[in-house]
Amino acid sequence: MDASDDGWLLRGSGDPSEVAAYYDAWAGNYDADLDDWAYAAPTVVASALLDRVPEARLVLDAGCGTGLVGAALRSAGFTGVLHGIDLSEASLRVAMQSGAYSVLDTADLQQTLAFDDDSFDALSCVGVMTYVPDVERCWREFCRVVRPDGVVVVTQREDLWDERDCAAVIDRLVADGMWTPIWVSDPEPYLPNNEDYTDRIGVHYVAATIRS
Ligand SMILES: C[S@@+](CC[C@H](N)C(=O)[O-])C[C@H]1O[C@@H](n2cnc3c(N)ncnc32)[C@H](O)[C@@H]1O
């Protein structure tokens, strides 16, 4: 990203067409920029997911972008079917070239997902919740499409954690018998080499098992 970004990445947006346009324009440079900023979340999530469901054969990467999570899952040994969905068609084309994904589709995580209940063994959602203001609706949908005893692993920016009441959302999903959290991290480094984030804005990781 250059100066024309004008703080957009930090500010974010919940408008799907604005988000798609931003990530379409960035798709060609995204991987290199994230590498420069020491982005570790895809590797952390891939290993958290496979540690908890090593037998997973069918995984949904929700908001897959250019495919960094898919690459991390493959590097960590995942050999099953990997389905990626995202708003940004240009990012999906980069993900396709990575060869990590079995299926790639355009989809909006603010809408009901076009999958049956219990479709996946596990789901990853990394760096995406900035753009999804209704956290509870989205996480309930994740619980719906993952099978009982499967796992959901998501990230949420530290500065949005309280603003969007994420701890309370987690608790409501527990109370409603949707999931059992197995890991809710303190803030960990997110984009340490990006001047807007440095050590000021970290990331929370949430991993939860879907209830039977
Ligand atoms: C910071 S990137 C993260 C991409 C990838 N998960 C990673 O870790 O590199 C955020 C991604 O979320 C996608 N996104 C944002 N809002 C979305 C929505 N409502 N539905 C689907 N994808 C969305 C964007 O298009 C973008 O590719």
Side-chain angles (χ1 to χ4, degrees):
M1 277 290 104
D2 55 28
S4 64
D5 172 55
D6 192 26
W8 192 95
L9 185 65
L10 189 59
R11 200 167 57 249
S13 167
D15 175 348
S17 44
E18 191 183 333
V19 172
Y22 182 86
Y23 278 96
D24 280 349
W26 192 12
N29 293 325
Y30 176 90
D31 291 5
D33 286 345
L34 273 285
D35 190 44
D36 286 348
W37 297 339
Y39 181 52
T43 309
V44 172
V45 166
S47 97
L49 187 152
L50 293 175
D51 280 356
R52 282 149 183 102
V53 273
E55 76 286 5
R57 302 307 303 155
L58 193 47
V59 172
L60 178 65
D61 184 20
C64 62
T66 59
L68 293 180
V69 176
L73 282 165
R74 296 301 182 194
S75 294
F78 177 66
T79 56
V81 173
L82 180 57
H83 196 141
I85 55 174
D86 201 280
L87 281 175
S88 163
E89 294 190 5
S91 298
L92 289 171
R93 285 194 288 277
V94 177
M96 176 75 76
Q97 285 161 10
S98 77
Y101 292 82
S102 319
V103 187
L104 287 160
D105 284 315
T106 308
D108 182 356
L109 295 173
Q110 297 196 61
Q111 304 295 324
T112 300
L113 299 177
F115 302 112
D116 292 337
D117 296 359
D118 309 340
S119 288
F120 298 97
D121 298 315
L123 181 152
S124 54
C125 182
V126 184
V128 180
M129 293 308 298
T130 302
Y131 313 103
V132 182
D134 191 342
V135 174
E136 183 158 353
R137 182 181 193 281
C138 181
W139 289 1
R140 282 181 183 273
E141 190 62 358
F142 289 171
C143 291
R144 182 185 70 76
V145 301
V146 175
R147 57 134 170 108
D149 296 324
V151 161
V152 171
V153 188
V154 299
T155 66
Q156 177 65 286
R157 263 166 49 174
E158 177 182 6
D159 55 323
L160 299 176
W161 183 261
D162 288 337
E163 191 178 312
R164 296 190 179 165
D165 222 8
C166 293
V169 171
I170 290 172
D171 289 347
R172 282 197 291 276
L173 295 192
V174 171
D176 289 352
M178 313 272 308
W179 72 9
T180 303
I182 44 184
W183 180 42
V184 181
S185 81
D186 289 333
E188 297 193 13
Y190 189 37
L191 301 172
N193 295 348
N194 176 297
E195 62 182 13
D196 288 328
Y197 287 78
T198 61
D199 58 358
R200 289 194 300 273
I201 299 177
V203 67
H204 291 271
Y205 294 94
V206 177
T209 306
I210 303 307
R211 294 266 188 89
S212 327

